[in-house]
Amino acid sequence: MASSGAVPFWRAAGMTYITYSNICANLVRNCLKEPYKAEALSREKVHFSFSKWVEGKPEKPSILLFTSHFSSSVSFNFIDRRFRFNFR
Amino acid sequence: MLRRATSALLSGVSRRRFSTDVPATPSVDSSFVEAWKKVSPNLDPPKTPLSFMKERPQTPSTLPTKLTVNFVLPYASQLSAKEVDMVIVPATTGQMGVLPGHVATIAELKPGVLSVHEGNDVTKYFVSSGFAFIHANSVADIVAVEAVPLDRIDANLVQKGLQDFTQKLNSASTDLEKAEAQIGVDVHSALNSALTG
């Protein structure tokens, strides 16, 4: 079930501990009873606004809303890629 | 269980300190203080984070009867310097009972039940993952990303999640997908056994 040998299975698949522990935490949050579930998920909401700096002035910011309400880990990967794209 | 005996054996040897062990007297850089006094004689030298930290209690020579537990989450402090009889933490190596006088250890936690025993009262939390730092002075620091009392978990959602992820594990093609599905199965079966067991 859990890790066998020196490297846990999620590490062998290229995941970091942060990714692993966040996935675990999200799965637990999604299994909560209702008043607690909404509270836990809203606590994890993150807002970002990105704006490019052009000729000494910031352009109109694009507001992105990320929630960590990942129904599946596919959307998690999607967000991960978006982050990398925006920071590059 | 490893108890005092090993620490008594080790006491002759110079023991390495934890980085979280705050020294009894915060070290003050005297040359910095002198230089500061020259520049601004009316202002006190700035305090460093170290000087705000409370000193950790020394390792007592006799075995304490209670274990001091700090249990923290990113958004809340569940237990703060609470004196309990025992905690059982879900370490990756198996359930680990921590009594007063436990040897200093760092344990990685897996999704599972953390139980806090105080006399006849047992408080159970489900922790998603995290670490337990057990200090030689009978202080245990437990950190987790998410932890909830067991009665807040919905058994129907756990069953549904377990089915979903078992299916995903069978249909996963890449290593990453397999690992994600495996995590899902692990977490949900841990939740399931926490509710049933």
Side-chain angles (χ1 to χ4, degrees), chain B residues 4-25:
Chain B
R4 268 300 115 169
T6 42
S7 53
L9 279 172
L10 285 170
S11 58
V13 191
S14 68
R15 282 158 65 194
R16 217 185 77 193
R17 294 175 68 90
F18 270 112
S19 61
T20 47
D21 286 345
V22 182
T25 48

Side-chain angles (χ1 to χ4, degrees), chain A residues 1 9-10 13 15 17 20-25 27-33 36-37 43 72-73 77, chain B residues 75 108 126 128-131 145-146 148 151-154 157 165 168 176 179-180 182-184 186 188:
Chain A
M1 184 191 127
F9 68 91
W10 46 266
M15 249 182 236
Y17 183 77
Y20 165 73
S21 56
N22 280 335
I23 291 175
C24 287
L27 294 171
V28 174
R29 277 178 211 124
N30 284 326
C31 284
L32 293 179
K33 281 177 189 164
Y36 309 111
K37 185 175 175 176
R43 192 163 42 217
S72 71
S73 36
N77 281 336
Chain B
Y75 56 89
E108 187 190 338
F126 189 89
S128 65
S129 63
F131 284 92
V145 181
E146 188 66 65
V148 285
D151 57 359
R152 294 188 184 180
I153 299 166
D154 190 328
L157 288 174
F165 279 100
K168 268 184 198 163
L176 194 64
E180 281 165 353
Q182 183 63 56
I183 294 169
D186 285 358
H188 286 96

Side-chain angles (χ1 to χ4, degrees), chain B residues 24-73:
Chain B
T25 48
S27 53
V28 178
D29 188 349
S30 59
S31 61
F32 171 76
V33 174
E34 274 169 35
W36 179 273
K37 285 269 156 67
K38 268 179 213 157
V39 181
S40 57
N42 298 325
L43 284 178
D44 287 333
K47 284 189 175 177
T48 58
L50 199 63
S51 54
F52 287 99
M53 281 176 83
K54 261 193 227 150
E55 185 196 331
R56 279 219 181 257
Q58 290 301 305
T59 309
S61 52
T62 53
L63 193 65
T65 53
K66 295 279 182 182
L67 178 75
T68 310
V69 180
N70 299 304
F71 178 30
V72 290
L73 303 177

Side-chain angles (χ1 to χ4, degrees), chain B residues 70-141:
Chain B
N70 299 304
F71 178 30
V72 290
L73 303 177
Y75 56 89
S77 167
Q78 299 287 49
L79 300 176
S80 175
K82 185 153 191 180
E83 299 210 323
V84 300
D85 294 317
M86 175 173 74
V87 289
I88 301 177
V89 295
T92 47
T93 47
Q95 294 291 111
M96 191 169 101
V98 182
L99 290 163
H102 195 283
V103 284
T105 320
I106 298 178
E108 187 190 338
L109 307 183
K110 66 180 176 189
V113 178
L114 165 77
S115 43
V116 180
H117 297 244
E118 288 178 80
N120 291 324
D121 292 348
V122 182
T123 319
K124 286 185 174 178
Y125 298 91
F126 189 89
V127 295
S128 65
S129 63
F131 284 92
F133 302 89
I134 294 140
H135 305 280
N137 51 14
S138 298
V139 175
D141 296 322

